[in-house]
Every structure is written in structure tokens, then in C-alpha cells.
Amino acid sequence: MQTKPSVDLKRDLGIISGLSMVVGTVIGSGIFFKQASVLEMAGGQTQGLLAWGLGGIITLAAGLTIAEVGSRIPKAGGLYSYIDGIYGHLMGFLTGWSQVVVYAPAVIASIGGYAAHLTANFLGLDLIWARWIGVGYICFVMGLNLLGNRIAAGFAVLTTAVKMIPIIILIVYGLFFGRVDAVGETVTQVTATPGGSFGMAVLATLFAYDGWVLVANIRDEMKNPKRDLPLSIVFGVLLILLSYLGVTYGVYRVLPAQEIVNLKDNAVFAVVKSAFGLLGGRIMSLIIIISMLGTMNGKMVAFPRMAYNMSKDGLFPNYLKNLSTKSFVPAQATITIALMAILIAAFTDSADLLSNLAIFTIWIFYVLAFIGVFILRYRQKNMQLKIDFKTPLFPITPLIGIFGGTFVVGSTLITDFKGAMASIIMVLVGIPVYYYYSNKQKHMK
């Protein structure tokens, strides 16, 4: 494939693509599989709903904060560009390093693995084939992204529409056919969890809400990024919040609390089966597979753009900044991240471990970005800048985001100190890499 560094990204994505990117990347399988664990940790259905709601409010506050940061630093590259603009090149590089080199290939491989296991079960195949089905899914999504941003965006819109079908069905079925007295069962009627707590329930929901910030990586491909980027983040997170609360309420209306806990990952399947029988359960499995491919597509769209921007800044290998002359996408970066994911998926069992480790440091960078809105307001107070979006209810809103992010970081340090330290070490390994590319730039000048 011939590529030229002078080719520019194509600005042809609108608000629907942005919304689909946010919703499609976040809503994967978490809302369908986490109902029992959140309920068990929260200790009751009312507390479970509050946990999902509080997680959503924290995420919405984070989204409103990042929307202003993006308006004050109008660059593509997402979190990498924001941290770079606030705290300098080293911190920016470490943000990108942790996401592109560690998290991106690991999480893509992990999503492929889950989708592959569901597919093998759906088709009645031996699980020995799951590894290679996962590799096939990664290749398929990579291929879509190489065809052009409109193809990838179209797939995001399609998969988002598909995944909203069971969400709407669960909400409607719960509202009109559920048990009126289901909501409100307390911990005395639910299995008490020795390590469970309301705080841990909120933590579990925050991970289910994660991924919305990746839409900022496609800023340079939006027709009107000043308007569409903040709107995509804010309305996307709002739609996710309402969807999660609606599904949770629907499940609680249909099944008793004890039964939800006993069913574990199969609680949502039980609701669908009660409404549509065994066929409904199989269709649900198929929709979750499609949903996960939509989530993988969102990652495959976002992370190569971050690698592309880092390469343009001279902090990653030069070939990653090359765009396809036919599709105007960062083809080399897309292929590189996909190949890394394929290697992890095909030859290791470490995808979940690596992605879980990387999430800890990503939340540290989230908190730094939330704090950054205060720094940017102070730095730019005397500048004549037109800010397209300002965080409402400032400073309360960013403080909620900072509290939520600090809670995630602190909880992880308490519950998995070794894992958190391993995550930090993976990030610190990037420091000599940064100085290598930084010195290389100086010599070239």
C-alpha cells in the first residue's frame, strides 16, 4: 500500500457518527453481564440502582469537564493531546504510551476473546476454536477500518442501533410486565457479600461506563468538531446513563433480587427467555456478539488516531503517521495495533490481565485531565479565546469527576496494590522511549 505523509485526514463525520462512537464504544457487554455483581456488592435493589446512577453522574461530570478541555485544546489525539497541552510532552507521551502500546492491543484482543467464546457456544463449536475466531474478528474489524472512516462510522451506527434493540426491549418489558413490588428488596433478602460494599458497586459501574473519551481521537475527521465533539460526549454519555438505568430497572422489575444474584452473568438472558423463550436467549447472544464487535470497532477507530498524532509529533516511529492515499485513514497505525492485538490473542492468555492493569494508569491520566480544566482556565483567563463549550456548574462538575477518578485510583490501590504497581511500572518503561524520540528530534533539527 503506497502512502504519503502529506495526505490529510478526511473531514466527513457528523454528530450521528460521534454519538455512535461514544455509545458504541462504551456499551459492550458490561450492562448485560454486571447486573448480579453490582446488586450483590450494593446489598439491595435500591442501592444497585443508586450505584448505576451515581456511576453515570460521575461519568457525565467527567464528560462535561473533558468537553471544555477539548474546546480549550482544539487538537486531535484525545487524552494524549490534552495531557500534553496541560502538563508537557513527557506526561503527554506517557498517556499515549500506556494507551497505544499496552491498553489498545490488549483490550482489542480481550474483546475479541469474549466475542469468540460467545460465538463458539452459539455455534456449538469446541472452545479450542475460540482463539482463532477472535483473531478473525480482529482482522475483520481492521479491514473495515482500512476501507475508510465512513465505513467504520457506518459500522458503528449499525452496531449501536442493533445493541439498542435489547436495551429498549428490557426496559419496556420490565416496565409493563414486571412485578410491581420488585424494586426495594434489601440486603436481608440478598446474599450478603463479605467483600461487597456500595463503593465497590459504584466502582464496577464506572468501568462499565468507560470508553466515551475515545471520541476525541477523531476530532480532525469531524465536519464541525467545535460543535459536534462536545455534543457527542455529553449526549452520548446521557444516553448511556439512561440506558443503563433503564436496563437495571427492567431486570429488577422482572426478577427477584435473590434470583438475579443466583443467576450471576445469566440474569439478563433469563429476562429475555421469560419474554421470548429459548429463541430469545439465542438472539440475545447474537446481539451481544454484534455489540462487542461494535465496541472493538470503536477502539480500532480511536487508538490508531492517537498513534498517528504521536508520530506526527515525532514521538512514535515515522511510518505510523502515513495515511492511505485511497481511504485517507492512518492505515499503518491501524495495521500495527491490530497485529499487536492478534499476537496477544493468538499466542498468549494475558489480554485481560494487560488491559486491566492499564486501566488503572488511564484513570490517573483522567484525573489529571479533570484537574487540567482549572489550570487551563487560570492560564487562559487573560487570553482573547473563543471557548465553544464551558463546563456547567463549574467548579462542582469537575470536582465530581475528580472525586470519581480518585475513588477508582484509591480503590484499586487498596484492592490490588501489586497490580497497580505493575501498571505504574509499565508506564514508567515509556520514559526512556520518550527521551530516545525526543533526542532524535533534536538531532534532526
Side-chain angles (χ1 to χ4, degrees), residues 203-281:
L203 181 65
T205 69
L206 282 172
F207 287 123
Y209 280 107
D210 194 34
W212 52 270
V213 76
L214 294 179
V215 71
N217 293 13
I218 62 167
R219 188 185 194 282
D220 279 358
E221 293 161 274
M222 287 181 157
K223 296 173 188 174
N224 187 357
K226 290 182 178 180
R227 181 197 68 186
D228 293 347
L229 182 57
L231 288 179
S232 296
I233 292 173
V234 174
F235 286 107
V237 172
L238 265 174
L239 181 58
I240 294 161
L241 168 58
L242 293 174
S243 298
Y244 281 12
L245 281 175
V247 168
T248 303
Y249 186 72
V251 171
Y252 288 1
R253 290 265 298 179
V254 174
L255 298 174
Q258 185 63 57
E259 190 174 345
I260 294 171
V261 172
N262 292 341
L263 285 166
K264 297 189 181 298
D265 291 350
N266 295 312
V268 170
F269 285 90
V271 175
V272 175
K273 285 178 183 176
S274 71
F276 302 104
L278 289 174
L279 178 62

Side-chain angles (χ1 to χ4, degrees), residues 5-6 10 16 35 97 193:
S6 59
K10 213 171 179 182
I16 298 299
Q35 292 298 330
W97 167 268
T193 318

